[in-house]
PDB file of all heavy atoms in Angstrom:
ATOM      1  N   THR A  64      38.747  27.549  -5.960  1.00  0.00           N
ATOM      2  CA  THR A  64      40.032  27.814  -6.608  1.00  0.00           C
ATOM      3  C   THR A  64      40.473  26.625  -7.460  1.00  0.00           C
ATOM      4  O   THR A  64      39.887  25.542  -7.386  1.00  0.00           O
ATOM      5  CB  THR A  64      41.124  28.042  -5.548  1.00  0.00           C
ATOM      6  OG1 THR A  64      41.287  26.811  -4.818  1.00  0.00           O
ATOM      7  CG2 THR A  64      40.736  29.155  -4.574  1.00  0.00           C
ATOM      8  N   LYS A  81      27.904  10.291 -12.987  1.00  0.00           N
ATOM      9  CA  LYS A  81      26.776   9.479 -12.514  1.00  0.00           C
ATOM     10  C   LYS A  81      25.507  10.303 -12.345  1.00  0.00           C
ATOM     11  O   LYS A  81      24.464   9.766 -11.996  1.00  0.00           O
ATOM     12  CB  LYS A  81      27.124   8.840 -11.160  1.00  0.00           C
ATOM     13  CG  LYS A  81      28.001   7.596 -11.293  1.00  0.00           C
ATOM     14  CD  LYS A  81      27.994   6.807 -10.004  1.00  0.00           C
ATOM     15  CE  LYS A  81      29.223   7.140  -9.213  1.00  0.00           C
ATOM     16  NZ  LYS A  81      29.304   6.653  -7.866  1.00  0.00           N
ATOM     17  N   ASP A 115      40.873  13.365 -16.870  1.00  0.00           N
ATOM     18  CA  ASP A 115      41.708  12.373 -17.558  1.00  0.00           C
ATOM     19  C   ASP A 115      43.039  12.959 -18.020  1.00  0.00           C
ATOM     20  O   ASP A 115      44.045  12.264 -18.087  1.00  0.00           O
ATOM     21  CB  ASP A 115      40.961  11.804 -18.777  1.00  0.00           C
ATOM     22  CG  ASP A 115      39.761  10.972 -18.373  1.00  0.00           C
ATOM     23  OD1 ASP A 115      39.714  10.546 -17.186  1.00  0.00           O
ATOM     24  OD2 ASP A 115      38.859  10.757 -19.212  1.00  0.00           O
ATOM     25  N   ALA A 180      12.227  33.013   4.479  1.00  0.00           N
ATOM     26  CA  ALA A 180      13.381  32.153   4.210  1.00  0.00           C
ATOM     27  C   ALA A 180      13.794  31.474   5.496  1.00  0.00           C
ATOM     28  O   ALA A 180      13.719  32.078   6.571  1.00  0.00           O
ATOM     29  CB  ALA A 180      14.550  32.990   3.685  1.00  0.00           C
ATOM     30  N   ASN A 215      12.487  14.977  19.607  1.00  0.00           N
ATOM     31  CA  ASN A 215      12.963  13.950  18.686  1.00  0.00           C
ATOM     32  C   ASN A 215      11.757  13.231  18.074  1.00  0.00           C
ATOM     33  O   ASN A 215      11.014  12.540  18.762  1.00  0.00           O
ATOM     34  CB  ASN A 215      13.846  12.965  19.450  1.00  0.00           C
ATOM     35  CG  ASN A 215      14.484  11.960  18.510  1.00  0.00           C
ATOM     36  OD1 ASN A 215      13.934  11.638  17.443  1.00  0.00           O
ATOM     37  ND2 ASN A 215      15.645  11.468  18.898  1.00  0.00           N
ATOM     38  N   GLY A 298       0.152  44.692   1.336  1.00  0.00           N
ATOM     39  CA  GLY A 298      -1.285  44.430   1.483  1.00  0.00           C
ATOM     40  C   GLY A 298      -1.608  43.016   1.092  1.00  0.00           C
ATOM     41  O   GLY A 298      -0.703  42.236   0.774  1.00  0.00           O
ATOM     42  N   VAL A 327       9.075  -4.928  -5.001  1.00  0.00           N
ATOM     43  CA  VAL A 327       9.151  -3.660  -5.739  1.00  0.00           C
ATOM     44  C   VAL A 327       7.775  -3.472  -6.362  1.00  0.00           C
ATOM     45  O   VAL A 327       7.299  -4.365  -7.059  1.00  0.00           O
ATOM     46  CB  VAL A 327      10.203  -3.710  -6.865  1.00  0.00           C
ATOM     47  CG1 VAL A 327      10.226  -2.395  -7.637  1.00  0.00           C
ATOM     48  CG2 VAL A 327      11.580  -4.003  -6.287  1.00  0.00           C
ATOM     49  N   HIS A 348       6.669  13.738  -2.915  1.00  0.00           N
ATOM     50  CA  HIS A 348       7.179  13.315  -1.606  1.00  0.00           C
ATOM     51  C   HIS A 348       7.036  11.809  -1.412  1.00  0.00           C
ATOM     52  O   HIS A 348       5.958  11.256  -1.554  1.00  0.00           O
ATOM     53  CB  HIS A 348       6.422  14.056  -0.497  1.00  0.00           C
ATOM     54  CG  HIS A 348       6.845  13.668   0.887  1.00  0.00           C
ATOM     55  ND1 HIS A 348       8.118  13.901   1.362  1.00  0.00           N
ATOM     56  CD2 HIS A 348       6.193  13.040   1.884  1.00  0.00           C
ATOM     57  CE1 HIS A 348       8.214  13.451   2.601  1.00  0.00           C
ATOM     58  NE2 HIS A 348       7.053  12.918   2.942  1.00  0.00           N
ATOM     59  N   ILE A 403       6.876   4.348  -7.547  1.00  0.00           N
ATOM     60  CA  ILE A 403       7.366   2.970  -7.423  1.00  0.00           C
ATOM     61  C   ILE A 403       8.254   2.904  -6.187  1.00  0.00           C
ATOM     62  O   ILE A 403       9.090   3.790  -5.959  1.00  0.00           O
ATOM     63  CB  ILE A 403       8.128   2.534  -8.695  1.00  0.00           C
ATOM     64  CG1 ILE A 403       7.169   2.595  -9.893  1.00  0.00           C
ATOM     65  CG2 ILE A 403       8.725   1.137  -8.524  1.00  0.00           C
ATOM     66  CD1 ILE A 403       7.791   2.220 -11.221  1.00  0.00           C
ATOM     67  N   GLU A 434       6.110   4.535   5.111  1.00  0.00           N
ATOM     68  CA  GLU A 434       6.205   5.079   3.752  1.00  0.00           C
ATOM     69  C   GLU A 434       5.097   6.077   3.468  1.00  0.00           C
ATOM     70  O   GLU A 434       4.055   6.084   4.112  1.00  0.00           O
ATOM     71  CB  GLU A 434       6.205   3.966   2.706  1.00  0.00           C
ATOM     72  CG  GLU A 434       7.611   3.528   2.318  1.00  0.00           C
ATOM     73  CD  GLU A 434       8.558   4.667   1.931  1.00  0.00           C
ATOM     74  OE1 GLU A 434       8.121   5.680   1.364  1.00  0.00           O
ATOM     75  OE2 GLU A 434       9.769   4.531   2.208  1.00  0.00           O
TER      76      GLU A 434
END
Side-chain angles (χ1 to χ4, degrees):
T64 65
K81 280 196 262 171
D115 293 341
N215 186 332
V327 178
H348 179 64
I403 299 179
E434 267 309 327

